[in-house]
Amino acid sequence: MSEEETADDLGVREEPAPAGRASLRDVVAAYVGLTKPRVIELLLLTTVPVMFFAARGIPPLGLVAATVVGGALSAGSASALNCVYDRDIDEQMRRTRRRALPRHIVTPRSALVFGLTLGVLSTVILFVWVNPLSAALSVSANAFYIFVYTMWLKRRTTQNIVWGGAAGCFPALIGWTAVTNELAWPPVICFLIVFFWTPPHTWALAMRYREDYANVAVPMLPVVAPAASVGKQIVLYTWATVAISLVLWPVAGTGWFYPAAAAVLGAVFLVEAHKLWRRAVGTEQLTLINPMRLFHTSNLYLSLLFVAIAIDPLIG
């Protein structure tokens, strides 16, 4: 799942940096912002439907609550620690300069303690009230996100989001293991859906903010490659996403609803990806390419696809 969504895209008005002492409301809002609530929402959207899918119906509500709380705290921990490490470039990027650390509402030390505390709480909740396997997967996802993506790949390679984005795929595994306490092929397919979906989703946003990334020397693909090349890669990964989404049908033995929904949603996603590629050929003007159209389409695609995963066993 991408951590690159911005307040601009969510319709949030930019606030000026506070003058003097920040109010309690500002501080609370800053700590909440460190967790990137919209990212948490998207991650949970791939966790809970898989729990319904694993249970072949409605899972125990207490288990769902524990998994949601533990997963939210885990994602919030990873986001806060990411903010601590990336605070130097966040201060220079237009889309991130309103975060808590660039605005100096929260100190790096306080943010670090906050992130680590959330991580410990999430691990305890998942270990005690869900199961050790889900807790271990959550810790692994956070470690991968911080050490592999944030600290190693993000500033070094154009493949940063391709491999680093794997951290956002773990919620699908966690949702399945929370119910079954074991891994199987269906959650692996769900993992791969998110894995192949992440590059086109993130590259569309990175096209919109490529100057930001270029100014801080983060080599996102749209920074170092022509728009037409990025568009081609987006199309290829979109095809892979749609193809792997259809594989879930025979592997998991779903009913008719899921493959029908996956086919329709996949067709819409593919049409938008091809349109972006065509618009990108021969121009670098973002107003003509309009990458945010694909970005929002990709969000809708993944959300509705996983809703279909949850609904299928209920009507099958």
Side-chain angles (χ1 to χ4, degrees):
M1 230 25 91
S2 170
E3 53 89 13
E4 309 297 347
E5 285 194 62
T6 70
D8 287 336
D9 300 321
L10 302 178
V12 178
R13 178 172 57 88
E14 179 174 355
E15 299 289 345
R21 186 180 180 86
S23 68
L24 177 61
R25 181 179 178 181
D26 288 333
V27 173
V28 171
Y31 275 102
V32 172
L34 284 173
T35 67
K36 302 179 185 176
R38 188 60 184 273
V39 175
I40 292 176
E41 176 187 330
L42 290 172
L43 291 175
L44 293 180
L45 190 59
T46 60
T47 304
V48 177
V50 174
M51 296 184 72
F52 277 72
F53 193 57
R56 296 294 177 175
I58 301 175
L61 297 184
L63 180 63
V64 173
T67 306
V68 166
V69 172
L73 292 176
S74 177
S77 168
S79 293
L81 296 175
N82 169 267
C83 286
V84 173
Y85 188 83
D86 277 349
R87 64 188 185 277
D88 58 330
I89 61 175
D90 283 350
E91 287 189 357
Q92 304 175 56
M93 296 177 69
R94 180 170 61 87
R95 64 173 196 82
T96 57
R97 65 190 179 195
R98 72 201 58 165
R99 289 177 177 171
L101 291 173
R103 295 175 66 201
H104 306 291
I105 299 178
V106 178
T107 66
R109 182 178 183 277
S110 296
L112 177 62
V113 172
F114 176 66
L116 292 174
T117 301
L118 292 183
V120 171
L121 287 175
S122 71
T123 304
V124 170
I125 289 171
L126 291 172
F127 188 93
V128 175
W129 284 287
V130 182
N131 56 58
L133 177 56
S134 296
L137 288 169
S138 176
V139 172
S140 299
N142 277 12
F144 191 91
Y145 181 69
I146 297 302
F147 295 110
V148 177
Y149 171 67
T150 301
M151 300 178 69
W152 179 31
L153 296 174
K154 183 174 181 178
R155 308 192 194 197
R156 288 178 171 81
T157 173
T158 59
Q159 294 295 299
N160 47 19
I161 200 62
V162 175
W163 301 108
C169 309
F170 276 77
L173 301 181
I174 294 169
W176 182 277
T177 59
V179 174
T180 67
N181 199 22
E182 63 181 9
L183 287 170
W185 281 113
V188 173
I189 299 300
C190 293
F191 178 103
L192 291 174
I193 291 171
V194 182
F195 179 82
F196 286 111
W197 167 88
T198 300
H201 168 78
T202 307
W203 285 335
L205 186 64
M207 290 178 80
R208 167 68 177 81
Y209 291 97
R210 62 186 179 190
E211 289 186 6
D212 263 3
Y213 288 108
N215 289 339
V216 294
V218 173
M220 298 295 287
L221 185 64
V223 173
V224 301
S229 297
V230 177
K232 181 179 180 180
Q233 290 296 311
I234 285 175
V235 166
L236 292 175
Y237 274 95
T238 302
W239 272 103
T241 303
V242 175
I244 198 68
S245 73
L246 293 172
V247 171
L248 184 63
W249 172 26
V251 168
T254 71
W256 64 268
F257 181 78
Y258 171 76
V264 172
L265 292 170
V268 173
F269 195 15
L270 282 167
V271 166
E272 288 300 328
H274 278 274
K275 284 183 177 179
L276 181 144
W277 186 18
R278 287 198 297 270
R279 292 194 301 266
V281 173
T283 183
E284 295 292 327
Q285 296 184 40
L286 293 177
T287 54
L288 298 178
I289 299 172
N290 191 15
M292 294 308 295
R293 179 169 175 171
L294 178 66
F295 174 80
H296 293 302
T297 298
S298 69
N299 271 337
L300 186 63
Y301 167 81
L302 192 72
S303 300
L304 294 180
L305 184 72
F306 274 82
V307 167
I309 288 175
I311 292 176
D312 185 86
L314 299 179
I315 66 175

